Amino acid sequence: MLTLGVDPGLANLGFGLVAGETDPVLVEYGCLDTYARDSTPQRLLELHDGIVRVLDSHPVTDVAIEQTVFGRNTSTATSVAQAGGVVMLCAARRGIPVAEYSPPQIKNAVTGAGNADKLRVQEMVKIILGLRNAPEPHHAADALAAAICHIHNHRLGLRLAASRR
């Protein structure tokens, strides 16, 4: 199982590839950045092309995306949702299943607290993946956390299936 975790964003889309069904192993992480001066369609195309490059480079089996939270700034939430939609489209074109997780679900899976701050998430991702340093930028750390959350949920599903046998 190779999970692509994604922290969607129009300006900065974090991604992280984590292998394993039970014990997560880091494969790669990074951030796709776009320029504010470019049009939204151009920026979405750049994100599309970046995700396609990641998918072309790795045999991804699952995609885990952090859900968009609609707060006060609806224009930001809309652009984040658009970026997430691009990732979902790229996955769907390849037949890769997509799971969405809320920020509290991801934080809880990684830190044990659904209200953990970004620094705590980064530190726990570092520990879980056995890294020397916390992943930077935080968008990439959040993407890795989404992938770890997915692996935890998959592991839980395996345990439940085994207990029903």
Side-chain angles (χ1 to χ4, degrees):
M1 183 167 142
L2 180 59
T3 302
L4 171 63
V6 177
D7 177 29
L10 186 60
N12 315 102
L13 184 142
F15 70 91
L17 289 154
V18 179
E21 290 190 16
T22 54
D23 296 318
V25 176
L26 175 66
V27 174
E28 180 183 349
Y29 68 89
C31 194
L32 304 174
D33 301 318
T34 66
Y35 295 104
R37 70 175 181 265
D38 291 340
S39 68
T40 298
Q42 179 61 39
R43 294 170 83 182
L44 292 171
L45 178 60
E46 289 172 25
L47 295 177
H48 169 274
D49 293 348
I51 291 297
V52 166
R53 279 192 300 275
V54 171
L55 294 174
D56 284 347
S57 301
H58 302 279
V60 173
T61 59
D62 297 82
V63 174
I65 299 179
E66 183 175 313
Q67 288 176 335
T68 304
V69 176
F70 285 88
R72 292 181 197 190
N73 190 342
T74 56
S75 65
T76 298
T78 299
S79 66
V80 170
Q82 289 171 332
V86 165
V87 174
M88 289 181 197
L89 175 63
C90 290
R93 286 198 157 198
R94 293 169 184 255
I96 301 170
V98 176
E100 291 184 273
Y101 298 98
S102 70
Q105 283 177 301
I106 294 169
K107 291 174 183 179
N108 191 52
V110 174
T111 70
N115 61 350
D117 64 20
K118 291 203 176 287
L119 291 176
R120 181 71 179 145
V121 171
Q122 283 178 297
E123 186 62 26
M124 288 306 298
V125 166
K126 176 184 108 173
I127 291 167
I128 291 167
L129 296 176
L131 306 176
R132 276 199 168 137
N133 299 307
E136 292 278 343
H138 70 83
H139 301 291
D142 289 349
L144 289 168
I148 292 167
C149 175
H150 185 69
I151 290 170
H152 286 313
N153 278 314
H154 178 32
R155 182 175 57 210
L156 179 60
L158 292 175
R159 286 185 188 157
L160 288 172
S163 70
R164 291 182 182 141
R165 291 183 202 151

